[in-house]
C-alpha cells in the first residue's frame, strides 16, 4: 500500500494503541483514516508484551480503565471480530514485605469499591492456586479471577482488519520523520515514502513518540526501558490454568504459554533473573529455555499513561508512556484518542493523564507496576 497524499486523520504507530485508534476512527465515521507504521503491524512493544490484562491497579482511573478493557477484550470475538485467546485465569501478586501488604491492601479496598472481585490471600491460599510456589517468606498475596492474558498480536490484527473493512488505510514499512506544523497547527506528516497532508495526528509510537513529538515542538517525557521475556521447553507439572503470577518485590512473573511457561522480570538478563525466579518457582531450575526476546517499556515519570490533545500545536493528539500496561489499556485509550481527534465526546475523562500534569505538579503515581 502506497502512502496517500492526504488524510483526515493520521495515526503514527501500528501497535495495539494505534490499531485501536484506527478502528475507533473508522467506527466513528472518519471518512479517511490512515495508519503509518515504520515496520509491520505489532512489531514494536506490542509483539514483545507478555499480554497481561488486569484491573489490579492502585490508581482509580487505571482500575476503571482496566475493568472496561476486560469487558471489551471478553467481547473481542464479537467486536471488532477476532479471536485473541483471552484466558481469564487471574492475576496473582505475591507480597513479601509489610510495605507491600499495606499498599496492596489499600489497592484491593479501592478495587472492591469499584466492583473489582479482587481479594487478599494468605500465602497458603496462594500456594493452593499455584502449588509449586515457594511461599515460606511471603506475608500475603492478592488475586483477581477476571484478570488474565491474551495474544497482543492477535488484538492488533483484529483491530486493523476491522478498520480496513470500514475503509481505513494501513501503510507499513513507512517511517514518519516529522510532524509538520505551520502557524500553530498540524498540517502534515513527512515519512520515508513522502508527505501526507493532514490536520490531525494521533501519536501512538511508543518509545519513538518522544522524538516525533519534538519535531512538532512538544516535549513528551518518555524513556525506553528494556524488558526480556523467556519461554521454557514443555515439561512442567504446574496446573494448566495458571494465573499470571508476579513476585512483586523482585518483578519476576510467569504464566502459561501453550504447554510451556513464559516468564520475565525487571532485570536485563537471564543470569540476573535466575536467582529470584528459581527461588520463587523451583521448578524452573529443571526447565530449559527454548526462546527469548526483548522489547521496550515506554516509561513515564509517574508510571501512568500520557494521553491527551495538545493546545499547541492544534491537531496533535498523543497516547504513550504506558509503562508496561499499554496492551491492556488499548481498547479504552485507543477509542479515547480517536474521539479526541474527531472532536467528539469521550466515555472516559482521561484529562488527569494529560501532559499538563507534569507542568502543574499534578503527577499521579501508579504503584502496581510490574
Amino acid at each position: 500500500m502506497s502512502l496517500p497524499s492526504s488524510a483526515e486523520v493520521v495515526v503514527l504507530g501500528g501497535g495495539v494503541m494505534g490499531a485501536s485508534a484506527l478502528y475507533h476512527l473508522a467506527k466513528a465515521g472518519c471518512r479517511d483514516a490512515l495508519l503509518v507504521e515504520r515496520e509491520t503491524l505489532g512489531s514494536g512493544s506490542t509483539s514483545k508484551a507478555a499480554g497481561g490484562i488486569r484491573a489490579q491497579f492502585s490508581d482509580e482511573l487505571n482500575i476503571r480503565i482496566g475493568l472496561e478493557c476486560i469487558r471489551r477484550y471478553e467481547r473481542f470475538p464479537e467486536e471488532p471480530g477476532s479471536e485473541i485467546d483471552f484466558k481469564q485465569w487471574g492475576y496473582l501478586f505475591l507480597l513479601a514485605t509489610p510495605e507491600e501488604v499495606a499498599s496492596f491492601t489499600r489497592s484491593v479496598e479501592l478495587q472492591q469499591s469499584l466492583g473489582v472481585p479482587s481479594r487478599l490471600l494468605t500465602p497458603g491460599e496462594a500456594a493452593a492456586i499455584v502449588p509449586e510456589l515457594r511461599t515460606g517468606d511471603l506475608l500475603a498475596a492478592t488475586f483477581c479471577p477476571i484478570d488474565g492474558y491474551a495474544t497482543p498480536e492477535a488484538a492488533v490484527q483484529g483491530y486493523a482488519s476491522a478498520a480496513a473493512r470500514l475503509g481505513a488505510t494501513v501503510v507499513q514499512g513507512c517511517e514518519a520523520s516529522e510532524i509538520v506544523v505551520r502557524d500553530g497547527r498540524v498540517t502534515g506528516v513527512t515519512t520515508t515514502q513522502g508527505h501526507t497532508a493532514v490536520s490531525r495526528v494521533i501519536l501512538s509510537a511508543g518509545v519513538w513518540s518522544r522524538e516525533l513529538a519534538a519535531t512538532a515542538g512538544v516535549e513528551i517525557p518518555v524513556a525506553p526501558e528494556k524488558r526480556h521475556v523467556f519461554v521454557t521447553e514443555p515439561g512442567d507439572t504446574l496446573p494448566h490454568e495458571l494465573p499470571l503470577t508476579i513476585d512483586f518485590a523482585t518483578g519476576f512473573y510467569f504464566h502459561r504459554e501453550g504447554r510451556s511457561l513464559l516468564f520475565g522480570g525487571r532485570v536485563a538478563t537471564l543470569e540476573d533473573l535466575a536467582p529470584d525466579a528459581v527461588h520463587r518457582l523451583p521448578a524452573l531450575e529443571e526447565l530449559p529455555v527454548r526462546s527469548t526476546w526483548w522489547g521496550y517499556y515506554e516509561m513515564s515519570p509517574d508510571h501512568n499513561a500520557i494521553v491527551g490533545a495538545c493546545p499547541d500545536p492544534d491537531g496533535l493528539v498523543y497516547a504513550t508512556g504506558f509503562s508496561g500496561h499499554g496492551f491492556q489499556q488499548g481498547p479504552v485509550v485507543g477509542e479515547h484518542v480517536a474521539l479526541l481527534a474527531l472532536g467528539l465526546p469521550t466515555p472516559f475523562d482521561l484529562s488527569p493523564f494529560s501532559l499538563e500534569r507534569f507542568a502543574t505538579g499534578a503527577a499521579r503515581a501508579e504503584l502496581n507496576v510490574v
Side-chain angles (χ1 to χ4, degrees):
M1 178 71 70
S2 60
L3 186 74
S5 60
S6 65
E8 185 177 351
V9 183
V10 171
V11 180
L12 300 182
V16 70
M17 205 59 62
S20 173
L22 186 72
Y23 168 71
H24 286 101
L25 284 168
K27 182 183 175 184
C30 181
R31 300 182 309 278
D32 193 11
L34 167 67
L35 185 149
V36 173
E37 164 54 41
R38 65 199 296 269
E39 295 183 5
T40 58
L41 286 172
S43 61
S45 296
T46 297
S47 66
K48 313 301 190 299
I53 300 166
R54 61 182 163 114
Q56 285 193 79
F57 285 95
S58 67
D59 183 289
E60 179 175 343
L61 188 48
N62 283 331
I63 296 168
R64 293 184 184 277
I65 293 170
L67 267 177
E68 179 58 24
C69 286
I70 287 170
R71 296 185 187 109
R72 296 194 189 188
Y73 277 130
E74 287 173 337
R75 301 195 308 267
F76 211 87
E78 290 76 46
E79 186 196 346
S82 183
E83 180 54 58
I84 59 170
D85 198 23
F86 184 18
K87 297 177 174 67
Q88 287 182 280
W89 294 344
Y91 254 66
L92 179 67
F93 281 96
L94 308 175
L95 311 175
T97 70
E99 293 77 16
E100 290 171 6
V101 174
S103 176
F104 273 79
T105 297
R106 290 191 295 270
S107 293
V108 167
E109 290 171 351
L110 177 58
Q111 292 156 16
Q112 290 177 343
S113 75
L114 296 171
V116 178
S118 56
R119 63 185 189 272
L120 282 167
L121 304 180
T122 65
E125 289 171 323
I129 297 173
V130 184
E132 296 186 35
L133 285 174
R134 180 176 281 134
T135 60
D137 58 341
L138 296 179
L139 298 180
T142 69
F143 181 74
C144 179
I146 65 171
D147 294 345
Y149 43 97
T151 305
E153 300 95 322
V156 172
Q157 295 297 335
Y159 276 134
S161 297
R165 291 195 295 270
L166 293 171
T169 300
V170 174
V171 179
Q172 302 180 72
C174 180
E175 183 173 358
S177 59
E178 182 184 5
I179 300 168
V180 181
V181 175
R182 297 285 185 271
D183 299 322
R185 290 190 57 84
V186 170
T187 61
V189 174
T190 301
T191 78
T192 52
Q193 290 189 21
H195 181 81
T196 293
V198 67
S199 60
R200 286 165 286 178
V201 168
I202 296 174
L203 178 57
S204 57
V207 297
W208 297 275
S209 296
R210 184 171 193 155
E211 60 190 72
L212 281 170
T215 67
V218 177
E219 173 64 24
I220 297 182
V222 172
E225 185 174 296
K226 276 188 177 181
R227 295 297 179 96
H228 291 253
V229 174
F230 308 90
V231 178
T232 71
E233 293 285 359
D236 67 88
T237 57
L238 290 159
H240 178 68
E241 296 188 2
L242 274 181
L244 199 158
T245 303
I246 301 160
D247 187 35
F248 191 71
T250 66
F252 163 62
Y253 68 85
F254 63 92
H255 70 59
R256 177 66 64 198
E257 184 76 4
R259 295 186 300 114
S260 303
L261 295 177
L262 178 151
F263 69 98
R266 300 188 186 109
V267 294
T269 68
L270 181 58
E271 290 73 20
D272 293 332
L273 179 61
D276 292 326
V278 170
H279 169 76
R280 188 59 64 208
L281 188 65
L284 279 179
E285 191 166 17
E286 306 301 322
L287 292 171
V289 170
R290 181 181 68 200
S291 60
T292 182
W293 63 84
W294 67 269
Y296 287 121
Y297 272 18
E298 75 238 34
M299 304 299 291
S300 73
D302 60 3
H303 297 165
N304 260 320
I306 304 175
V307 179
C310 290
D312 183 19
D314 183 47
L316 179 57
V317 177
Y318 50 86
T320 187
F322 291 93
S323 304
H325 46 270
F327 167 62
Q328 56 197 287
Q329 294 192 338
V332 164
V333 177
E335 177 188 49
H336 181 83
V337 291
L339 297 177
L340 274 185
L342 296 175
L344 299 173
T346 59
F348 279 76
D349 177 12
L350 300 189
S351 59
F353 287 167
S354 72
L355 266 174
E356 283 69 28
R357 74 182 189 266
F358 300 115
T360 62
R364 48 194 294 160
E366 172 54 53
L367 303 178
N368 298 354
V369 176
V370 181

